[in-house]
Amino acid sequence: MSDETIIFFLVLIIIMLLLIILYQRFVFTRGIQTKLKQISEKLEEILETGSDEKVMVFTDNKVLMELGGQINRLLIDRQKIKADYKREEISSKKMLANISHDIKTPLTVILGYLEILRLGNADDEMLKKVESKAKQVMDLINQFFTLAKLEAGDTNINLCKININEICRENVLSFYDILLQKDFTVDISIPETAIFVQGDKDALQRILFNLISNVIRYGNDGKYLGIFLREDKANIYIDVTDKGKGIKKEFASNVFDRLYTMEDSRNREIQGNGLGLTIAKNLAVQLGGDIFLDSIPNIKTTFTVKLKKISY
């Protein structure tokens, strides 16, 4: 065999070895990329859902195994932080509920004494103002107490079959005098056929009371209240509508926040403290529903209560 032939075969063998090495390197890199993508996708799923799962790595690669272990350590630390935060949050809410309850007792006594003093001094304007302010403070404490109990999970919500038609009618009637006094146009659409929901009567009364109060407080310029009850196969919807100044888009996400109030509120008959809508939203969620807002300023603002419908 000639030297040229030997050199040719040697070069051919070297090329084949290089190709094999390059192929193995490609397969190895491709495998690593696939595993990294799987880890990334699983981690994204865990973070989006908030689950307590861990990242599982099936590989012989020590570096990937170590990476998976470190990621799982971080996930465990994250779960501990979440659990600690939840415990602290519940503890804080229970403490607020207890403080609100403790404040109510002496304030109730003060209101009792003020009432006695006012009976003996019926014309004392200063005494009337003091009593009025004390009642406002009591109302605010009651609202705080209600919200704190709701958020701490200390409120008894008894779900049962309720005729939502009657709840809507009762709440509109309870505001009849003030609506008449303020010359509101009231538009009501409540079906004659009874519609039943899974709910708690007191909670539903509180939700609608707060929403209608909100119309009178902030939608007073429009002189309009609309109550519309509608349904689909699974849910019922109560639309509480006004035609007042409305809420701009940039503020719409804040209306359910605690202590958020519209700056232009001037109504003194139903005082606003920024907790009514927060309580309404919280109650709706605990009933398995929700409240949504849709507002076109100076045209129409609608708060929609969504609740689960049950069969007759």
Side-chain angles (χ1 to χ4, degrees), residues 269-291:
E269 294 184 41
I270 302 179
Q271 289 293 326
N273 52 40
L275 294 175
L277 290 177
T278 309
I279 291 172
K281 175 91 168 179
N282 202 303
L283 284 170
V285 170
Q286 293 206 29
L287 293 175
D290 208 344
I291 299 180

Side-chain angles (χ1 to χ4, degrees), residues 206-265:
R206 185 65 174 269
I207 290 169
L208 288 175
F209 177 88
N210 287 0
L211 291 178
I212 296 173
S213 297
N214 190 73
V215 169
I216 296 172
R217 187 181 310 126
Y218 300 124
N220 186 53
D221 293 343
K223 301 293 181 183
Y224 175 87
L225 169 67
I227 303 290
F228 308 102
L229 176 60
R230 52 193 174 89
E231 62 179 319
D232 59 23
K233 291 183 179 180
N235 304 292
I236 68 96
Y237 305 90
I238 307 169
D239 297 321
V240 180
T241 300
D242 70 75
K243 295 181 179 179
K245 298 186 71 172
I247 301 164
K248 295 179 181 178
K249 282 188 177 181
E250 57 265 34
F251 303 124
S253 60
N254 302 120
V255 296
F256 296 108
D257 294 345
R258 279 178 286 185
L259 302 177
Y260 178 82
T261 57
M262 300 294 287
E263 293 181 358
D264 60 346
S265 176

Side-chain angles (χ1 to χ4, degrees), residues 85-96:
Y85 174 78
K86 193 67 177 177
R87 281 194 295 269
E88 289 296 328
E89 186 180 32
I90 292 173
S91 177
S92 297
K93 289 172 181 176
K94 286 185 176 180
M95 182 179 68
L96 179 59

Side-chain angles (χ1 to χ4, degrees), residues 13-29:
I13 291 169
I14 292 171
I15 292 172
M16 289 179 67
L17 288 172
L18 286 172
L19 289 173
I20 291 171
I21 292 170
L22 289 172
Y23 177 74
Q24 288 180 335
R25 192 175 186 86
F26 170 77
V27 171
F28 175 79
T29 304

Side-chain angles (χ1 to χ4, degrees), residues 24-88:
Q24 288 180 335
R25 192 175 186 86
F26 170 77
V27 171
F28 175 79
T29 304
R30 185 69 177 269
I32 294 291
Q33 289 177 343
T34 301
K35 291 296 181 182
L36 287 173
K37 186 177 181 182
Q38 290 174 353
I39 292 172
S40 176
E41 289 175 350
K42 187 61 180 178
L43 184 59
E44 183 180 7
E45 179 188 338
I46 292 171
L47 294 176
E48 285 184 353
T49 60
S51 72
D52 293 335
E53 292 182 81
K54 303 293 182 295
V55 173
M56 303 297 291
V57 183
F58 300 99
T59 180
D60 294 330
N61 188 286
K62 291 183 179 180
V63 175
L64 286 179
M65 291 173 66
E66 185 177 347
L67 175 63
Q70 295 299 330
I71 289 174
N72 287 332
R73 282 184 61 188
L74 288 173
L75 289 174
I76 291 171
D77 289 342
R78 174 176 173 268
Q79 290 165 15
K80 288 180 180 178
I81 292 170
K82 283 173 62 180
D84 290 342
Y85 174 78
K86 193 67 177 177
R87 281 194 295 269
E88 289 296 328

